Amino acid sequence: MSETAVKTGHPKGLWVLFGTEMWERFNFYGMRAILTLFLVNSLMMKEEDASLIYGGFLGLCYLTPMLGGFISDRFFGNRNCILLGGLMMALGQFLLFFSASIFGSNIGLANTLMWTALGIIIFGNGFFKPNISSMVGSLYPKQEKSKLDTAFTIFYMGINLGAFLGQLICPIVGDVKTADGIRDIHAFKWGFLAASTAMLIGTAVFYFLKNKYVITPEGRPLGGLPKHNVSEDYEEGESQKAVFSQKALMGAVVAFFVLGAFFHFVVNQNWIYTVIYSSGITLAGLIVSDSSLTKVERDRIFVIYIVAFFIIFFWAAFEQAGSSLTFIADNQCDRNFFGYNMPPSMVQIFNGLFVVAFAVPFSMLWDYLRSKDREPISPVKQAVGLGLIALSYFIIAHNVKDLGNNGLLAIKWLILLYLIQTCAELCLSPIGLSLVGKLSPKRFSSLLYGVFFLSNASGYALAGTLGSILPATGDKFNKAKELGIDLQGVLDKKITPTAEQLKLLADNQITDHNPIFAGFEIHNLFEFFMVFVVLTGLAALILLALTPVLKKMMHGVR
């Protein structure tokens, strides 16, 4: 490659980070594809509980980046945090492998191992996630920051190539059914082992290539210990250290507990979700209390917060993939794909596949619009993303309307849903990452990625709550019929079940009442999907209306 080509192209370090992130996402998404099915089929949990655990786990995975970002900015530096996080995640997956190996003989120990594994993965992810994103931003000198939307879209393709491979391989080895549809509940362990191996490969890639390629244009290593940062790493006139007063820090602690009490006792959230929501708001408040911030910096940080708030609704709808949409694929979907009967956990694969296919066309579209000076600003792109999510759920709601209790949804409708949601994601997620890179002051870069990921965390927590209001699917009605119970009659309150029938339903993980959301009873899948249409549709319209204000607050950043 000639010297000039390097200048106009992207630095080679981007490809090292791309590879590291790709293997990490293989590990994360592969495990995520089979996690809820493992909880329900091997550890004998109710679907509703599995959805809440899934949402809480994902939420905490995006809460700990705040801690990882803080430790990195202050003490360890990006590099060490990425290596530490990678090794912890590999270990966590290995413990899941053990849990899935022994549940048949010792379900108590299997449960303990499962909770321990999820805890280690959560903290590992916290060290890994914000640091790799903030290193992508650091590869580009100030005069090349306009390349960040394209750089993050390429990086995002790495994320999704990994997701695609993980969602292909882990279900093939881990979500196994016999010819007559009986699930092998002992196969999940191989999916977890594949995920652990992928994480070890990703960590090794970074370890061996970081010194050669993950460097500044002048050749200084990036992401070392913060005490080694030099003045060129900061913008002119930019403060190099955050300044929090004692009063601000004490205020943050008090605010955390007050918000915690509000979310737990008033809004009735469980403890995990309470911690996620409270810490997000507290940290956001603490950052803007920093006395070294200029007015322009503070305005730009507020734009990150406003956009992050709307992103919550996006992820709450998008992340039904691993809970409610997987259960529907498992229980009320004809999964025949050109003669191949797909494992239910593999249906999510289309999202990763479509991102890999469309990431480059989308980045070319932004580049083309930028060259014509017609590129929409980031918040407009994100409002479009929210609108597309609403459209995808509207189409699926329309198609489940007439299924009744036993009709099967054709897999093509789920594939169409993932296609539209992928276009939505490409308008929103890499653009959001890039926006944080463009708007955040250097001294807060990892920490503000932490805040941005908190909006993901809150979205995932909300996704868990919304996934748990999934009404009974066809398999539940069929099972109840075998037990001699008219489930529809029970749900419509036309039949009062006996104590014995209630016990039968509970033993078979069937709920005897319709779920309630915001005071509304959800009677069927149509009403369930319309919840997402309304939430994301309203969010899209409000964000679009706010765009002129946000544009002013961004002070020239696009």
Side-chain angles (χ1 to χ4, degrees), residues 372-390:
K372 297 278 180 238
D373 217 20
R374 307 266 299 270
E375 187 186 18
I377 62 167
S378 297
V380 173
K381 293 178 186 173
Q382 290 170 313
V384 170
L386 280 162
L388 286 171
I389 284 272

Side-chain angles (χ1 to χ4, degrees), residues 79 211 214-223 228-233:
R79 294 177 163 218
N211 292 342
V214 187
I215 49 178
T216 64
E218 301 80 53
R220 279 183 305 107
L222 277 170
H228 299 321
N229 279 350
V230 294
S231 56
E232 287 93 84
D233 293 335

Side-chain angles (χ1 to χ4, degrees), residues 304-319:
I304 294 175
Y305 290 174
I306 293 165
V307 167
F309 172 74
F310 285 98
I311 282 178
I312 292 174
F313 300 102
F314 174 84
W315 289 116
F318 187 85
E319 272 307 327

Side-chain angles (χ1 to χ4, degrees), residues 17 21 24-25 60-73 77-79 81-82 85-86 89 121-138 152 155 223 283 433 436-437 440 444-454:
L17 299 178
E21 178 74 353
E24 186 272 332
R25 291 287 90 180
L60 288 172
C61 276
Y62 283 83
L63 174 66
T64 48
M66 198 173 70
L67 182 67
F70 176 77
I71 291 174
S72 161
D73 283 347
N78 299 133
R79 294 177 163 218
C81 283
I82 289 170
M89 283 190 279
I121 292 169
I122 285 163
F123 279 100
N125 191 68
F127 282 115
F128 188 95
K129 194 100 189 106
N131 290 300
I132 196 142
S133 299
S134 110
M135 283 188 93
V136 174
S138 311
F152 271 106
F155 180 65
L283 181 76
L433 288 170
V436 180
S440 54
F444 283 132
S445 66
S446 296
L447 201 52
L448 276 166
Y449 274 109
V451 175
F452 185 73
F453 287 133
L454 267 175

